[in-house]
Amino acid sequence: MKIYKTADYNDMSRKAANIISAQIIGKPDSVLGLATGSTPIGAYKELVLRCKNGDLDFSDISTVNLDEYRGLKRDNDQSYYYFMNHHLFDHINIDKSRTNVPDGTEPDADKECDRYEKLIDSLGGIDLQLLGLGHNGHIGFNEPAEDYPKTTHCVDLQESTIEANKRFFASADDVPRQAYTMGIGTIMKAKKILVVVSGADKAEIVKKAFFGPVTPKVPASILQFHPDVTIVADEEALSQVLK
Ligand code: GLP
């Protein structure tokens, strides 16, 4: 596990974009696993700039997103489908037919999760998976649990996650209660993993997840067992572990 300490959010975003850029340049037909949440937005902005400058070419890139709220229409501005188009896909030269987000509008959870897992396999797996970190240690929407969900599945969101994400909705009541998410097994199969973390409010969970015991009660802790993980975190997020 490599940890890069950055001065602040902007520095974190540029360093994360450097790592993603290196992946794209080294393997122009990479399969990128992408994440939502506020943390990766700065890195996406950087990637957009680099693409507009002609330094990055997404034309052969495929993407698979980690998760999606169950029941939100794709044109809902809180859906992760909308988020990805708004922050990244609309601004780069990617072939949109190669971008994939779980379909939250498919009511048959088993059918959709099975389709998504098979889709990732059919692409040859994920070359680089980008992850944010939830305050309770969730990755994707894999919430703290008694065991690790292996494959893409439907999850009941925990109250703390609904609370954390309500800032994006009119009220907590509007936050969907379920989501489709890649499983921990799906994430762990990615060849490389890049975690971005920012802010003092993440310092405690950074310590638990990356320096504490590996347990499904802190889902991100499993990343300690992955052979190629890079964490890019700002000083505040690392304040409880690195001086
Ligand atoms: C959401 C997403 C996660 C994300 C997490 C942290 O619940 N499903 O993929 O990593 O929130 O979000 P943020 O980066 O806004 O703190």
Side-chain angles (χ1 to χ4, degrees):
M1 191 172 258
K2 290 187 283 274
I3 303 183
Y4 290 117
K5 179 162 97 172
T6 69
D8 53 24
Y9 178 80
N10 287 338
D11 192 20
M12 177 207 76
S13 300
R14 276 194 307 274
K15 291 216 164 60
N18 289 346
I19 293 169
I20 299 167
S21 301
Q23 175 68 41
I24 295 170
I25 292 164
K27 189 178 179 214
D29 62 349
S30 289
V31 177
L32 301 180
L34 298 179
T36 55
S38 47
T39 315
I41 291 176
Y44 292 154
K45 268 193 194 142
E46 275 291 323
L47 294 175
V48 168
L49 273 179
R50 293 172 195 198
C51 183
K52 286 200 190 319
N53 288 343
D55 292 330
L56 271 187
D57 178 11
F58 287 83
S59 57
D60 287 329
I61 293 290
S62 300
T63 67
V64 283
N65 258 78
L66 279 168
D67 49 11
E68 178 61 284
Y69 289 114
R70 187 180 190 196
L72 281 198
K73 294 224 175 82
R74 294 194 145 178
D75 59 0
N76 184 309
D77 62 3
Q78 292 313 323
S79 75
Y80 287 167
Y81 177 89
Y82 186 99
F83 175 106
M84 288 311 302
N85 282 291
H86 179 70
H87 289 291
L88 187 63
F89 303 150
D90 284 346
H91 314 290
I92 57 176
N93 68 329
I94 199 161
D95 173 352
K96 288 230 186 141
S97 69
R98 292 188 208 253
T99 67
N100 301 281
V101 180
D103 182 359
T105 66
E106 170 55 61
D108 185 337
D110 288 346
K111 183 177 158 203
E112 176 54 14
C113 294
D114 188 50
R115 179 195 74 82
Y116 204 69
E117 194 69 26
K118 287 191 175 131
L119 169 85
I120 296 169
D121 285 345
S122 75
L123 293 171
I126 298 165
D127 291 301
L128 175 66
Q129 176 66 55
L130 176 63
L131 295 176
L133 180 65
H135 287 98
N136 59 4
H138 73 225
I139 45 177
F141 266 132
N142 290 279
E143 298 280 36
E146 292 304 315
D147 49 25
Y148 293 111
K150 290 191 182 58
T151 56
T152 303
H153 60 288
C154 181
V155 68
D156 293 328
L157 301 182
Q158 294 194 348
E159 272 312 312
S160 61
T161 300
I162 292 167
E163 268 303 299
N165 289 355
K166 75 173 185 197
R167 62 200 153 120
F168 302 115
F169 292 82
S171 76
D173 287 344
D174 294 310
V175 185
R177 266 39 192 175
Q178 289 186 312
Y180 297 149
T181 180
M182 285 184 197
I184 293 290
T186 327
I187 294 169
M188 288 295 280
K189 277 200 289 184
K191 295 173 190 91
K192 292 181 197 158
I193 293 181
L194 169 62
V195 191
V196 285
V197 204
S198 168
D201 56 317
K202 295 278 175 78
E204 200 180 325
I205 194 62
V206 163
K207 186 176 180 187
K208 277 192 190 151
F210 306 126
F211 295 82
V214 174
T215 162
K217 296 199 163 86
V218 183
S221 64
I222 189 97
L223 299 175
Q224 294 180 43
F225 288 155
H226 191 283
D228 194 343
V229 175
T230 303
I231 298 166
V232 180
D234 63 17
E235 260 176 36
E236 289 189 341
L238 291 172
S239 58
Q240 291 198 15
V241 290
L242 298 182
K243 293 295 161 213

